[in-house]
Amino acid sequence: MRAKLVKALIKKEFLDVLRDKKAVAMMILVPLILYPLIFFGTMAVMTAIQSGMEQHEYKVAIYHPDGVAAYDNLVAAIDEHNNPKKKDGSGEAEAVTDKINVVRTDEVWNYDKACEALQNEEIDAYVMPDSLDVDGRTKYRIVYVSSITNSSYAADILSGIMQKVNKAESERLITEAGLNVKLILEPIVIDTADIASKEQATGNILGMVLPMILIISLLMGTMYPAIDTTAGEKERGTLETILTLPVTNREIIFSKFVTVATIGIFSALLNLLSMALIGYYMVKLMGGMGVTTDSVNLGSFIPAIVVTILAVLVFSLFISAITMCITAFAKSYKEANNYITPLTLVVMLTGYIAFIPNINLDRNMALIPVANICLLIKNILSFKYDIGIIAIVLISNVIYAGLAIIFLSRIYDSEGILFDEGRSGLQLFERRSNMKKGGVPTTGDAWFIICVVFIAVLYLGSLLQLKFGLGGVLGTQLLILFIPLVVVLYTKRSVKETYKFNKTHVVNFLAGIMLICGALLLGVLLTMVTSMLFPKDAASVGGGMDTMLAGHGFLFVLTVVALAPAIAEEMLFRGFVMSAFRTRYKIVTTIILVSVIFGVYHMSIVRFFTTAFLGAALAIAAYYSKSIFPGMLMHFLNNAISVFQMYYPETFNKVFPIMADETPGGMEICVMFLTGVILTSVGIAILVIKNKGNKGNGIKKEQI
């Protein structure tokens, strides 16, 4: 790249972003003004509440029947609560924030009368004996209304007062019996010793709060410049001018990326500075209470600060690239804001992981975006340093950012995306009268349905499975089948073209069988590798399904576990989604996207890679055969083999001896690998040769 040209482009991007006064306000004014306003506003509200509580009195009615001596003790305790004496022996009374005004009721109030008085707020609480002299004890009941604040507070105060009365009465009885009060009431003395240093305690608090603040600050800081440099430029009509200049797409993307990442880091630092000033002010404000920073060695936090800065830098690269990839699909500011909302929710919810105890940053968590940064900052502020884990977190974020930038460059290579004419938008919410018959769904519709189906399976599907067991699994497959089908029918798309309901030659079925057999062998080896990498997740896979299948016959399980997914999942992924993606993406991109989504849908780290690999084999068969039926057969066979293994293990071991050993040796692994490669290669070769010149499904595509 040409340095002078890139420098000029970066300057141009900065000027464009800073020209927008709203963006500048969000980046500078909000952190410097909003946080102090929130802080001082909260203090003012709390002061007003405290002042109101100091002047409030709670009206409590106490029924006093004859023969209950505890009444006098209760009234005396309330008087002591209302007029506490200072501990310095001066005899002066301390200020009370919540006084109890006692209304003695000698007449018998029945329960209905007490409830009526409480509901009308004539009294805040009512104390009455529930039963007298039970085992020599007196039992009192506090009646209140939890939905009325004063009543609820009065009940809590009374409960505390009566606990003191109870303790005092216990001590009196023990003393009269000539026993040691402390020995009887507290036979075991419990003491604790916190050996955490001041630095560790401070770091633990910062480790819960700081990660959340940082990632949200970075997201908010990168969101608006990302929108401005992508969708904003389309809306202003200046993108066409830039593309006509003698600059490469890489130079354009690099300049935009540097601008967004730099502004994001600057915004995050401003947020931290603002909150640090507020924290410093709070410490000074509470100096009279003994809260100071003198006992904390701030120099011990220097390594943590250095690693935190590195984490902020790499996360800025990652979040900048992701936001730009998302907003690049939008045609206007408004549309880009809609697109970025799901990302905002995901980042904010993931940021809460720092508040969750007992979640450790191991090698698995170190690969999960957003969560790895939060846990890393939390660990280093608690003085937990692991160079290997730190390296994994930083390097993985750089890799994710690099992949996002590569994808972004592909976007800027596609005129179909940059100058979208509606072929990829969300058509589902348009007027049905404006929809044209025929064709396949748009990519916007596909992404929307992917999200809807995923949410439906996650929540509604889980409820169905909890209530109906294996029948709920069938219900989940029906959700997967009918949600996209309804969309196809509503948007007037061609069912045949969308789902590839085309006749195909028997050779394609035979090639598909060879392909799935080879992919299954390679998938077994891939599962062995992932199980070693994620042993905890591997141990939990399959346990719930075995319990769910117990008591059901072979044919019913075969229908639910093999046949239903072969129809429903193929129609969704290799039908609806793949047909929509082919209108925009190259076939390689389409197969990768469909396979990754298929792997994520199964919601298991261990099964992800294997499922995605098998999904790729199914997508290849659908692409070359121009039909969904070979993929359905392949999907059915793959799941049917698992069902057959569960119900007839001895027969399975005889038919498939190569897969019988759970811990195969080196020779067995080599045989499985070579056999899998040969079968997969032959299956693909037959599909390619048989359908040469007849691939692509006849769908016009905009490539990226």
Side-chain angles (χ1 to χ4, degrees):
M1 289 185 289
R2 294 161 288 183
K4 289 185 178 180
L5 210 56
V6 171
K7 184 178 179 181
L9 287 172
I10 292 174
K11 182 179 179 181
K12 174 259 179 192
E13 296 294 344
F14 269 107
L15 290 174
D16 285 344
V17 172
L18 298 178
R19 193 178 291 119
D20 187 350
K21 300 299 186 293
K22 292 184 294 183
V24 174
M26 288 297 298
M27 290 184 293
I28 299 176
L29 297 181
V30 169
L32 294 181
I33 295 177
L34 182 62
Y35 292 148
L37 285 177
I38 292 174
F39 172 70
F40 290 113
T42 302
M43 286 189 63
V45 171
M46 294 300 294
T47 302
I49 293 173
Q50 184 69 21
S51 177
M53 290 181 64
E54 289 176 357
Q55 301 172 4
H56 192 82
E57 291 187 0
Y58 299 99
K59 191 175 182 181
V60 175
I62 303 178
Y63 172 51
H64 173 43
D66 294 333
V68 182
Y71 171 82
D72 295 330
N73 295 334
L74 177 58
V75 172
I78 291 175
D79 289 338
E80 184 180 350
H81 170 82
N82 291 339
N83 302 285
K85 303 299 181 181
K86 288 186 176 181
K87 297 180 180 179
D88 57 6
S90 62
E92 298 179 2
E94 292 184 344
V96 181
T97 59
D98 40 29
K99 290 189 175 182
I100 299 294
N101 184 14
V102 178
V103 178
R104 176 169 174 167
T105 60
D106 293 321
E107 76 279 6
V108 177
W109 278 18
N110 59 34
Y111 190 76
D112 292 337
K113 184 177 179 181
C115 290
E116 182 180 356
L118 287 167
Q119 293 289 0
N120 294 333
E121 300 188 41
E122 297 173 6
I123 58 175
D124 295 313
Y126 178 59
V127 182
M128 58 181 291
D130 187 39
S131 58
L132 304 179
D133 298 327
V134 179
D135 298 330
R137 297 179 298 167
T138 301
K139 182 179 179 183
Y140 271 95
R141 172 177 291 180
I142 301 173
V143 186
Y144 70 103
V145 184
S146 62
S147 59
I148 300 176
T149 303
N150 287 343
S151 182
S152 181
Y153 283 175
D156 289 340
I157 297 167
L158 280 172
S159 180
I161 293 173
M162 296 183 77
Q163 288 293 338
K164 292 180 180 178
V165 174
N166 196 34
K167 182 179 179 182
E169 187 66 12
S170 298
E171 292 177 352
R172 184 186 67 80
L173 292 173
I174 293 172
T175 302
E176 290 179 355
L179 300 174
N180 188 320
V181 174
K182 291 291 184 182
L183 182 62
I184 297 299
L185 295 182
E186 299 177 10
I188 299 175
V189 179
I190 301 173
D191 191 16
T192 58
D194 184 5
I195 62 172
S197 64
K198 296 285 186 180
E199 292 77 14
Q200 288 176 315
T202 304
N204 183 57
I205 296 173
L206 291 175
M208 290 189 292
V209 179
L210 191 61
M212 181 75 170
I213 296 172
L214 278 174
I215 64 168
I216 293 179
S217 301
L218 281 167
L219 177 62
M220 299 302 294
T222 58
M223 182 188 304
Y224 291 98
I227 293 174
D228 187 82
T229 57
T230 53
E233 200 160 47
K234 292 182 186 180
E235 193 171 19
R236 293 190 299 268
T238 57
L239 181 60
E240 294 89 340
T241 305
I242 294 177
L243 293 176
T244 59
L245 296 176
V247 294
T248 64
N249 284 353
R250 286 190 303 169
E251 292 168 339
I252 294 173
I253 293 166
F254 181 77
S255 62
K256 292 179 181 294
F257 176 72
V258 169
T259 302
V260 174
T262 303
I263 293 176
I265 294 172
F266 179 72
S267 177
L269 293 177
L270 276 180
N271 278 271
L272 280 176
L273 176 62
S274 178
M275 299 200 73
L277 291 175
I278 292 173
Y280 179 77
Y281 176 79
M282 289 178 64
V283 171
K284 289 295 183 183
L285 191 66
M286 294 187 295
M289 301 169 59
V291 181
T292 65
T293 58
D294 297 338
S295 58
V296 178
N297 181 14
L298 298 179
S300 62
F301 286 97
I302 292 178
I305 293 172
V306 173
V307 178
T308 300
I309 292 173
L310 290 175
V312 169
L313 290 174
V314 297
F315 185 72
S316 177
L317 299 178
F318 168 73
I319 202 67
S320 299
I322 293 297
T323 51
M324 290 180 69
C325 285
I326 294 174
T327 56
F329 287 93
K331 301 186 290 293
S332 64
Y333 245 98
K334 183 178 179 180
E335 189 176 339
N337 276 292
N338 293 334
Y339 287 176
I340 210 72
T341 299
L343 176 66
T344 305
L345 295 175
V346 169
V347 171
M348 292 181 66
L349 291 174
T350 308
Y352 278 106
I353 196 170
F355 291 93
I356 303 174
N358 300 325
I359 295 185
N360 299 318
L361 181 62
D362 53 20
R363 295 183 182 275
N364 298 339
M365 290 296 297
L367 297 173
I368 301 177
V370 183
N372 55 9
I373 290 293
C374 292
L375 293 176
L376 173 62
I377 296 174
K378 181 179 179 180
N379 273 14
I380 59 176
L381 287 173
S382 299
F383 302 96
K384 298 177 182 177
Y385 297 100
D386 187 324
I387 302 301
I389 295 294
I390 294 174
I392 292 174
V393 172
L394 299 180
I395 293 173
S396 64
N397 274 271
V398 173
I399 292 173
Y400 297 150
L403 294 174
I405 293 172
I406 292 173
F407 183 72
L408 186 63
S409 66
R410 303 295 296 273
I411 293 175
Y412 271 77
D413 285 336
S414 171
E415 293 185 6
I417 295 177
L418 294 180
F419 309 107
D420 198 310
E421 297 176 357
R423 293 184 296 270
S424 63
L426 189 60
Q427 304 292 308
L428 180 61
F429 299 113
E430 292 186 2
R431 287 181 177 271
R432 196 164 188 268
S433 58
N434 296 334
M435 298 177 183
K436 296 180 180 179
K437 292 184 178 181
V440 299
T442 63
T443 51
D445 288 333
W447 284 113
F448 179 78
I449 290 303
I450 289 168
C451 295
V452 171
V453 170
F454 184 81
I455 293 171
V457 170
L458 187 62
Y459 292 103
L460 186 55
S462 299
L463 291 175
L464 289 172
Q465 292 175 34
L466 285 173
K467 186 172 181 62
F468 302 106
L470 197 58
V473 176
L474 182 59
T476 303
Q477 293 300 325
L478 293 177
L479 289 174
I480 297 171
L481 174 65
F482 284 111
I483 290 176
L485 182 59
V486 169
V487 172
V488 170
L489 296 175
Y490 177 79
T491 55
K492 303 179 182 179
R493 302 303 178 187
S494 170
V495 174
K496 181 179 179 181
E497 190 175 352
T498 299
Y499 290 113
K500 305 184 188 74
F501 288 154
N502 303 315
K503 293 181 180 180
T504 188
H505 200 277
V506 67
V507 173
N508 290 324
F509 288 99
L510 297 175
I513 293 173
M514 296 184 68
L515 175 57
I516 196 61
C517 289
L520 182 58
L521 289 173
L522 297 177
V524 170
L525 298 177
L526 189 57
T527 300
M528 292 171 56
V529 175
T530 54
S531 297
M532 290 187 291
L533 295 175
F534 308 101
K536 293 182 180 179
D537 299 279
S540 63
V541 172
M545 182 58 71
D546 291 341
T547 304
M548 191 179 294
L549 297 180
H552 295 283
F554 173 76
L555 291 179
F556 179 68
V557 173
L558 188 68
T559 301
V560 175
V561 177
L563 182 60
I567 297 173
E569 294 178 11
E570 287 307 303
M571 287 180 64
L572 172 62
F573 294 104
R574 262 65 62 177
F576 188 98
V577 175
M578 188 170 177
S579 296
F581 283 1
R582 281 295 291 138
T583 62
R584 166 170 286 193
Y585 308 137
K586 289 181 179 178
I587 184 57
V588 175
T589 306
T590 298
I591 291 175
I592 292 174
L593 285 176
V594 172
S595 303
V596 169
I597 296 168
F598 185 61
V600 171
Y601 156 78
H602 286 81
M603 291 180 284
S604 170
I605 297 176
V606 175
R607 297 171 59 188
F608 168 78
F609 298 99
T610 303
T611 307
F613 178 71
L614 294 174
L618 295 169
I620 290 172
Y623 171 68
Y624 282 105
S625 67
K626 291 182 59 180
S627 174
I628 200 171
F629 299 122
M632 285 183 175
L633 176 62
M634 294 165 64
H635 199 145
F636 173 79
L637 290 175
N638 177 74
N639 291 10
I641 290 174
S642 299
V643 175
F644 184 74
Q645 183 181 15
M646 285 188 291
Y647 277 83
Y648 305 103
E650 295 181 0
T651 307
F652 177 85
N653 294 340
K654 293 179 181 179
V655 177
F656 303 102
I658 196 172
M659 299 175 64
D661 193 355
E662 294 183 358
T663 56
M667 181 60 69
E668 288 83 355
I669 291 175
C670 291
V671 171
M672 289 176 65
F673 178 76
L674 291 175
T675 305
V677 170
I678 292 172
L679 289 174
T680 302
S681 302
V682 172
I684 294 175
I686 294 174
L687 286 169
V688 172
I689 295 171
K690 175 62 181 175
N691 303 283
K692 188 176 182 181
N694 196 32
K695 59 184 181 296
N697 306 311
I699 299 173
K700 184 179 179 181
K701 56 185 179 296
E702 297 293 337
Q703 298 180 346
I704 69 169

